Amino acid sequence: MIPAIRGTRDILPGEVERWAFVEATARRVFEQYGYAEIRTPIIEREELFAKGTGETTDIVQKEMYAFTDKGGERITLRPEATPSLVRAFVEHSLEQAMAVPKIYTFGPMFRYERPQKGRYRQFHQVDVEVFGIKDPTIDAEVIDLAWTLIKSLGIDGVELAINSVGCPVCRPRFAAALVAALGEDVQKLCGDCQRRSTTNPLRIFDCKVPVDQPIIDGLPHTVDYLCDECRTHFDAVRKYLDVNGIPYRVSHRLVRGLDYYTKTTFEVLAGQIGAQNAVLGGGRYDGLVKELGGPDRVGIGFAAGVERLVLALPEQLAVPAARPDVFVAALGDPARDAAFELLRDLRRAGLNAQIEYEGRSLKSQMKRADRLKAPLVFLLGDNELARGEVSVKHMATSTQETIARAAAVEFAVGLSRRPQALQP
Ligand code: ATP
Ligand code: MG
């Protein structure tokens, strides 16, 4: 047998219901906040991410699935959604086409990483982006949206961390202060950090090497170096979050792994899903649209990892698989033909009706009904056919009765509606 590729996985019946629940909930919450769905291709030009995600990021340097196609073009499987959505925003002038360019998307992303729990090579994100709004109320709305998504999924034990990474005015000052504060200590840090200290010093805060941590803990904080504009913006974001009653912690180390972030960054961490505990991350990217050849428009958004959301769902939220309302069993060939007719009528009435296809013994048909957890079995045999009747077995109580064939569909419809009507 030919196994699936390392770092990819099949989402099987039993788990897929939890995925569908996450997607349906996300869609409901996003639409309620006025975000419109967009779908973009999985393959894009490599340069979109080289430029958009950033040449110095781990994603571009180590993790992209990039190849030359038969036409000689450099193609990549998208590692994240934001550059694609920025491209679509620019390419289709969504600013004109939409009243407010607030969009969301779902789909697979690809990164060549070391697979482990909560980390895959093909994984899935729900992604939200807003373009053209500078006001800090939109930062608060997007964070509120992320928080509301998590809460609507019933996920508890989560923490929201926020920070501001400044802008092209104040960030270089901060980077210089960071390098100065490090001084000679830079030599004690890991190789990655030494490289970061020259390419992108803020990324030192991403380091997870244990021995580096005491040094990193002593470094200056971005928020103490913000220019007036960035400081005012950050204070306003915090104020609006407070007004909305959204609990957060300011995390000085939250710089995020992508080059394009400016001002607000945020992340949601889940307690109970293991080492890969970031379920969602995002921030503002005021220079990216222009950088990718569009008009000078700001942007903000977030991406949540669906695998990690599914892991974090409460166990009792496991959404049950669809069950038949009724199973149709038949004994003998004439009854089998009649059973298929009854099956058809039940389905046309909107019921989930199932049958055993290969004409096995009554015993194995009843076993099948039991495995499918059908509450009701309609049994047709020669006697029933002759009398124009159907035998009914109620599986929960093992009681039997006989009804007229002409009344069978209505009978099943009545029983199937009863439990639904009891629900609030
Ligand atoms: P991490 O620190 O876990 O590597 P990241 O900063 O690379 O995350 P982002 O690029 O911000 O992640 O993507 C947003 C979300 O997508 C993450 O919070 C996570 O839930 C999910 N995610 C990222 N990479 C993977 C992966 N390889 N497998 C599964 N989920 C992932
Ligand atoms: Mg990563």
Side-chain angles (χ1 to χ4, degrees):
M1 89 118 194
I2 304 164
I5 289 174
R6 189 167 134 80
T8 70
R9 46 196 294 275
D10 301 309
I11 303 148
L12 302 176
E15 188 189 357
V16 84
E17 294 79 12
R18 290 162 74 83
W19 282 66
F21 171 72
V22 168
E23 287 165 8
T25 305
R27 210 178 280 284
R28 177 169 57 76
V29 174
F30 295 165
E31 304 271 344
Q32 191 212 335
Y33 277 67
Y35 290 71
E37 185 174 3
I38 176 170
R39 301 184 191 191
T40 63
I42 285 169
I43 51 173
E44 295 271 8
R45 290 172 207 276
E46 185 178 24
E47 58 185 298
L48 179 67
F49 301 101
K51 249 183 136 174
T53 308
E55 293 280 8
T56 69
T57 60
D58 284 352
I59 291 179
V60 171
Q61 288 191 350
K62 307 183 202 159
E63 298 171 2
M64 286 221 294
Y65 278 89
F67 58 97
T68 307
D69 76 0
K70 292 194 169 65
E73 193 130 32
R74 285 298 288 170
I75 304 284
T76 181
L77 304 184
R78 62 182 181 191
E80 59 151 341
T82 305
S84 300
L85 296 199
V86 171
R87 179 194 55 67
F89 170 74
V90 175
E91 201 163 337
H92 305 287
S93 308
L94 291 185
E95 197 166 39
Q96 275 87 52
M98 299 176 73
V100 194
K102 306 206 290 188
I103 53 182
Y104 72 88
T105 198
F106 289 98
M109 307 292 154
F110 303 84
R111 297 184 193 175
Y112 194 79
E113 303 196 75
R114 196 170 68 77
Q116 52 194 286
K117 187 183 178 197
R119 190 180 293 292
Y120 306 96
R121 289 180 175 172
Q122 174 174 335
F123 62 100
H124 300 76
Q125 288 185 336
V126 298
D127 188 274
V128 167
E129 314 288 348
V130 185
F131 299 105
I133 304 172
K134 288 197 179 118
D135 196 85
T137 48
I138 197 70
D139 302 49
E141 174 179 299
V142 169
I143 295 172
D144 173 14
L145 179 57
W147 189 249
T148 303
L149 170 65
I150 299 291
K151 290 286 135 188
S152 305
L153 290 170
I155 298 174
D156 277 325
V158 283
E159 186 187 50
L160 169 66
I162 68 167
N163 192 21
S164 174
V165 295
C167 68
V169 174
C170 52
R171 193 166 21 197
R173 292 204 305 254
F174 174 73
L178 189 76
V179 173
L182 257 180
E184 298 292 299
D185 280 352
V186 71
Q187 265 110 62
K188 297 184 198 149
L189 295 177
C190 68
D192 274 346
C193 282
Q194 295 192 19
R195 188 170 44 79
R196 289 167 182 151
S197 73
T198 56
T199 57
N200 191 349
L202 265 74
R203 298 282 317 286
I204 289 174
F205 287 117
D206 275 348
C207 175
K208 303 211 166 75
V209 177
V211 293
D212 288 7
Q213 301 311 310
I215 298 173
I216 296 171
D217 285 337
L219 293 174
H221 300 160
T222 50
V223 289
D224 295 326
Y225 288 79
L226 298 178
C227 61
D228 285 347
E229 188 194 316
C230 288
R231 159 135 311 281
T232 311
H233 188 94
F234 191 52
D235 288 345
V237 173
R238 295 185 57 171
K239 184 185 84 188
Y240 292 126
L241 290 178
D242 291 338
V243 168
N244 284 341
I246 295 169
Y248 60 86
R249 172 176 67 88
V250 176
S251 166
H252 303 294
R253 292 190 58 161
L254 183 59
V255 292
R256 313 268 307 123
L258 309 178
D259 284 356
Y260 51 61
Y261 284 115
T262 53
K263 296 195 170 95
T264 315
T265 55
F266 58 96
E267 223 165 62
V268 174
L269 305 167
Q272 269 139 50
I273 60 169
Q276 307 309 321
N277 64 347
V279 289
L280 169 166
R284 184 172 266 285
Y285 47 85
D286 287 350
L288 184 61
V289 179
K290 190 159 181 230
E291 176 71 26
L292 288 175
D296 192 1
R297 295 292 182 276
V298 299
I300 180 168
F302 71 81
V306 179
E307 282 79 1
R308 295 184 197 176
L309 290 175
V310 167
L311 268 176
L313 285 182
E315 206 51 50
Q316 68 271 24
L317 250 170
V319 196
R323 279 185 198 178
D325 297 304
V326 53
F327 186 91
V328 183
L331 211 58
D333 279 342
R336 240 170 93 73
D337 290 351
F340 274 104
E341 259 171 50
L342 179 54
L343 181 75
R344 179 204 61 198
D345 291 349
L346 290 163
R347 285 177 174 168
R348 287 200 181 152
L351 294 178
N352 178 337
Q354 301 299 326
I355 201 163
E356 203 283 316
Y357 300 97
E358 302 194 274
R360 295 208 178 89
S361 69
L362 184 60
K363 197 175 158 203
S364 63
Q365 292 184 58
M366 294 309 288
K367 252 195 200 156
R368 172 75 54 91
D370 201 44
R371 262 199 90 175
L372 288 170
K373 301 194 168 70
L376 203 63
V377 174
F378 282 174
L379 175 65
L380 288 168
D382 291 339
N383 288 342
E384 283 83 359
L385 275 193
R387 291 196 220 111
E389 289 176 350
V390 174
S391 292
V392 180
K393 183 168 183 195
H394 300 270
M395 298 297 270
T397 52
S398 280
T399 48
Q400 293 218 27
E401 61 185 302
T402 310
I403 57 171
R405 164 65 177 89
V409 172
E410 214 167 303
F411 182 87
V413 167
L415 282 185
S416 79
R417 294 255 165 84
R418 215 176 290 159
Q420 270 174 14
L422 286 177
Q423 274 167 14

